[in-house]
Amino acid sequence: MTAAAFAATRRFAREHGQGAAIYLASFIGSKAVAFLGPLVLAAALRPDIYGALEMALSTGLVLAMVSSLGLWGAVPRVTLRANPIPIIDILALFLSVAGLAFFLAGLAVAATGLGAAAALVCFVSMTSAAQGALTALCRTYSRRNVAVWVEGLATHVAIAVALASLLIGAARIEHVAALSGLACAALTLGAFIVFLRTRRADLAARLRSVMRTSLPLLGYSLVSVWLATSPRVLIGALLPAGFIAVYAVDFRFAGLLLGINMLMMTGLFRRIYQMRTRRFDRLGAIYAGALAIISLAFALAVPVILAQVEMKALADAGARDAAIAVFPLVMAQIYCWAVSAMLQMRVSRARLVAPAVALQTILAAATAGLFLWLTQTGMGFAGAVVLLLGQSVGVNLIELGLLARKGLVMPRLAMSWAAAVALLASVWLLA
């Protein structure tokens, strides 16, 4: 290697290494806040307040997705092409209208006596909408260091609001809702200002063009969001008060696996997407096995932590024991989500998204209907978590089945995944 080539190599490594280090620090920092923040709140907030906050974060994301009309998913499709469509003013307009609607709805439900918790859902929906829009923009324009922070915007704002309510006195759901309303109003005003500054003359024509792209994506986006949020929504809506806090504490502990998986998937996305099926099967099985080992370690360690750490969110009678008892099942559910993130790449590459969404929609509807029926017949918390784990297992089976039907059989990965789920379920049965 010549001196010039060596110097060029060192310069390339220094420049790109520095960028990678900054991204890694941003990623770890944002995920640390998203992981530790809710656990701090669980330690400091009463079950009713913490449960209401988790319910608002879940339901708010679904409502925000509906209000977007699929626009978030359309951002890269309409901007990363030969004739890109300017979209910032369209996003800002949607956020302004959605924010005003959510703000007024929050005031209305509070005034009609439906309670601060219902108002909180409306206000958090706006932060979730801002999160979706900003994340789509940052990812599209490769602002990855910003993207890792805004993709958790709703959670970060909820953490800040709850901590602020603690600082001004004993936290009450009314305080949390009021501060969330201020955040909703600020985001709405900010979006409207951006719209005024970026508005272009051809807004109506561009809006019609973008809608032709975004509306077909809405169904897929809604199914994906519902599958991720339905456990907390169904438990919070249909089980006795307090169980949403119990499930949410377990979910937050187990969710660390998703952060680990996201870091790996972000770094290896292109290789995984382009990998041949046979090689993907072999390496995917190894990776799924590694995730299983981490999940098993969590399933054994977190119940011990829960038994030792005092959390106000688990102050209700039997709440701590319930959280300890079902944690292996919640861990298995999160494990299935991590595997699904990997399988979705293959489903997308094989052009099987449409049948996958159709089958997953049927699965989600059947799960919700069965959940509603069983709660009327006396289903307990553990039974509810088992049913929701079944939904996650069903999603994986749909993905593996569709791939196999197209000839993309992955027996090693399927066996690794099945063994892991069975092992985590055994930990629950033997506990």
Side-chain angles (χ1 to χ4, degrees):
M1 178 182 293
T2 65
F6 180 73
T9 302
R10 285 188 60 186
R11 184 167 57 254
F12 178 86
R14 183 170 61 251
E15 292 174 355
H16 290 267
Q18 184 180 26
I22 293 174
Y23 171 73
L24 184 61
S26 298
F27 183 91
I28 293 175
S30 64
K31 297 311 172 188
V33 172
F35 173 69
L36 295 174
L39 294 179
V40 171
L41 297 185
L45 299 177
R46 300 195 314 266
D48 58 330
I49 301 175
Y50 182 70
L53 201 56
E54 288 282 1
M55 184 68 172
L57 286 170
S58 301
T59 309
L61 187 56
V62 177
L63 294 176
M65 179 60 69
V66 174
S67 73
S68 75
L69 299 181
L71 188 59
W72 307 338
V75 171
R77 297 195 180 198
V78 301
T79 56
L80 301 179
R81 64 185 195 182
N83 298 309
I85 299 176
I87 200 172
I88 292 179
D89 59 339
I90 295 176
L91 279 173
L93 176 61
F94 264 73
L95 282 179
S96 301
V97 174
L100 181 60
F102 287 134
F103 184 73
L104 294 177
L107 294 180
V109 298
T112 54
L114 293 178
L120 180 62
V121 170
C122 297
F123 297 144
V124 171
S125 297
M126 177 52 187
T127 58
S128 296
Q131 170 183 300
L134 291 173
T135 299
L137 279 177
C138 289
R139 288 178 176 174
T140 300
Y141 292 104
S142 299
R143 302 293 190 267
R144 60 181 187 176
N145 292 327
V146 181
V148 296
W149 288 100
V150 298
E151 67 187 10
L153 179 64
T155 300
H156 297 159
V157 171
I159 293 169
V161 162
L163 291 178
S165 70
L166 287 170
L167 290 176
I168 64 177
R172 297 175 54 191
I173 187 62
E174 292 81 6
H175 295 163
V176 176
L179 291 173
S180 296
L182 291 177
C184 174
L187 288 169
T188 302
L189 179 60
F192 186 64
I193 292 173
V194 171
F195 169 69
L196 292 178
R197 291 185 175 183
T198 60
R199 183 181 180 184
R200 296 169 62 107
D202 55 346
L203 176 63
R206 287 185 291 116
L207 183 58
R208 287 193 296 269
S209 179
V210 170
M211 285 296 98
R212 285 194 291 269
T213 301
S214 69
L215 287 175
L217 299 174
L218 180 59
Y220 171 72
S221 300
L222 271 176
V223 171
S224 299
V225 168
W226 174 254
L227 289 173
T229 59
S230 59
R232 283 174 290 175
V233 173
L234 291 173
I235 289 174
L238 299 176
L239 289 185
F243 281 123
I244 176 62
V246 174
Y247 179 86
V249 169
D250 280 355
F251 171 81
R252 293 299 179 180
F253 272 108
L256 182 59
L257 183 72
L258 295 179
I260 296 172
N261 184 64
M262 186 180 297
L263 179 61
M264 297 300 297
M265 291 296 101
T266 300
L268 300 175
F269 177 86
R270 184 170 182 174
R271 291 186 180 182
I272 294 174
Y273 187 86
Q274 295 177 338
M275 200 176 289
R276 292 183 178 275
T277 300
R278 186 171 299 177
R279 178 174 172 79
F280 176 83
D281 180 36
R282 184 172 64 255
L283 297 181
I286 295 172
Y287 181 67
L291 290 178
I293 293 173
I294 297 173
S295 299
L296 179 61
F298 278 26
L300 296 175
V302 170
V304 177
I305 296 173
L306 289 172
Q308 300 298 322
V309 177
E310 292 294 330
M311 289 188 169
K312 286 188 178 180
L314 300 179
D316 288 347
R320 183 193 299 269
D321 292 339
I324 292 172
V326 304
F327 183 79
L329 295 176
V330 179
M331 193 70 246
Q333 184 181 40
I334 300 300
Y335 172 80
C336 288
W337 291 2
V339 172
S340 180
M342 183 168 49
L343 290 173
Q344 283 173 6
M345 299 184 197
R346 311 303 295 182
V347 169
S348 176
R349 182 184 177 185
R351 301 183 184 277
L352 294 169
V353 172
V357 170
L359 291 173
Q360 289 171 7
T361 300
I362 295 172
L363 173 65
T367 301
L370 187 59
F371 195 103
L372 176 61
W373 178 67
L374 290 176
T375 53
Q376 302 302 314
T377 60
M379 178 179 65
F381 178 57
V385 178
V386 170
L387 176 58
L388 294 169
L389 171 59
Q391 177 178 258
S392 300
V393 169
V395 170
N396 290 160
L397 288 174
I398 288 171
E399 292 162 340
L400 288 168
L402 286 174
L403 290 168
R405 187 176 180 182
K406 198 169 182 178
L408 307 174
V409 183
M410 291 176 283
R412 295 182 181 89
L413 176 56
M415 287 188 291
S416 180
W417 162 77
V421 174
L423 180 61
L424 291 169
S426 299
V427 173
W428 170 66
L429 289 172
L430 297 174

